[in-house]
Amino acid sequence: MNHRQIDCFIAVAQCGGFSAAARQLYLSQSTVSQQVISLETELGYPLFLRKGHSIELTAAGSYLLQHFLELRDGYEAAVATASTIAKGGVAPLRLGYDGPLSSLWLGKALFRIPKEPGSFPFSLRRETMPQISLLLLEDHIDVAVTASTELDGSEGVRFHPLATAGPCVYFPRGHKFSRMKAVTLEDLQGETLLSAYGVPTTRFLSATGTLLEAQGIELRTATNCRDGDTAFMAVRAGMGLFVASHLCDAYAEALGVDSVDLDANLPSITLGIAWKQDDPRIDQLIAAAEQVVGH
């Protein structure tokens, strides 16, 4: 397996075809096709389903695409950081976050941090909350905006709470839940609950998702529902319901999505900042976040 094979595979998957990928890579179509076939032969299974002139990723291909993209992003970030350090600069603080719970205040918090030019470089990585927590545990990021339930029992992780809210269900306007003040787990039976993960839910389940499944509620991953943002988009499109917390209410309201309390034996969700290694910049981030969330 080599970089050219992987680059061709990613390009074909993202462009939706070999011809478009060849134009993007400035290669011949036959070269791109040969590289992908070579990769499939080496792996021992197909990455695409060929249907006439159209192609579609297999389940294995979809899984590999996501992780190849993560590896490429990590490689590019490492090269950029090494270049900064080589020039006498400071390595950026690698910050991971999930869209709905933090996008409304994270930028404001970073803007509030007093800093000299170049003293607080940072890089942002946006993923689902369970994935962000896993990246922190595996030292791929330095600090995570996440929920305490995602890190229960994790050794060596420090967590600073910012806000707490109870669990709720988000649904499209006009749904039968709009006439109810609260719903129970029984009310969710037969509904499609969206799981905001781009991989099978058996691999990355949030703590809340684990509790739901333990109580017989089936979670289903919508196509391309890779994070909280797309989960809310899917709700608005009528593809299903999304279980989260009222911390997302302002975000959901802006999208035209409604919420109702979930009356179930689920813990409240506490949003906060988690980290493993001490860094004075994290203290600055926490102070700024408290100012923003407090308002």
Side-chain angles (χ1 to χ4, degrees), residues 29 41 70 85 90 97 129 160 162 177 215 224 264 281:
Q29 181 175 336
T41 301
E70 291 174 358
I85 295 173
V90 180
Y97 73 104
M129 190 171 288
H160 183 91
L162 293 172
F177 287 172
Q215 298 184 57
N224 297 322
R281 294 174 295 179

Side-chain angles (χ1 to χ4, degrees), residues 8 17 27 34 68 80-81 99 122 125 127 134 158 207 232 260 267:
C8 288
L27 296 172
Q34 288 170 3
F68 279 162
T81 299
F122 60 87
R125 181 160 180 174
E127 297 282 357
L134 183 63
R158 300 173 65 183
F232 278 105
V260 63

Side-chain angles (χ1 to χ4, degrees), residues 40-149:
E40 291 177 317
T41 301
E42 187 172 337
L43 292 172
Y45 49 81
L47 299 173
F48 295 100
L49 295 175
R50 280 81 166 174
K51 300 179 180 179
H53 295 293
S54 65
I55 62 168
E56 180 181 327
L57 279 167
T58 63
S62 180
Y63 178 85
L64 273 183
L65 175 63
Q66 178 182 341
H67 289 278
F68 279 162
L69 288 172
E70 291 174 358
L71 290 171
R72 187 177 69 179
D73 290 345
Y75 166 80
E76 292 174 351
V79 171
T81 299
S83 177
T84 299
I85 295 173
K87 296 175 182 177
V90 180
L93 189 69
R94 300 170 299 170
L95 174 60
Y97 73 104
D98 174 44
L101 283 175
S102 52
S103 60
L104 294 177
W105 60 265
L106 181 56
K108 295 178 182 178
L110 291 170
F111 183 77
R112 282 174 175 260
I113 296 174
K115 49 188 176 291
E116 297 296 326
S119 65
F120 198 102
F122 60 87
S123 61
L124 296 176
R125 181 160 180 174
R126 189 174 193 163
E127 297 282 357
T128 67
M129 190 171 288
Q131 289 171 312
I132 285 299
S133 300
L134 183 63
L135 290 170
L136 176 69
L137 295 175
E138 295 182 348
D139 298 317
H140 295 304
I141 57 176
D142 303 307
V143 58
V145 179
T146 185
S148 58
T149 51

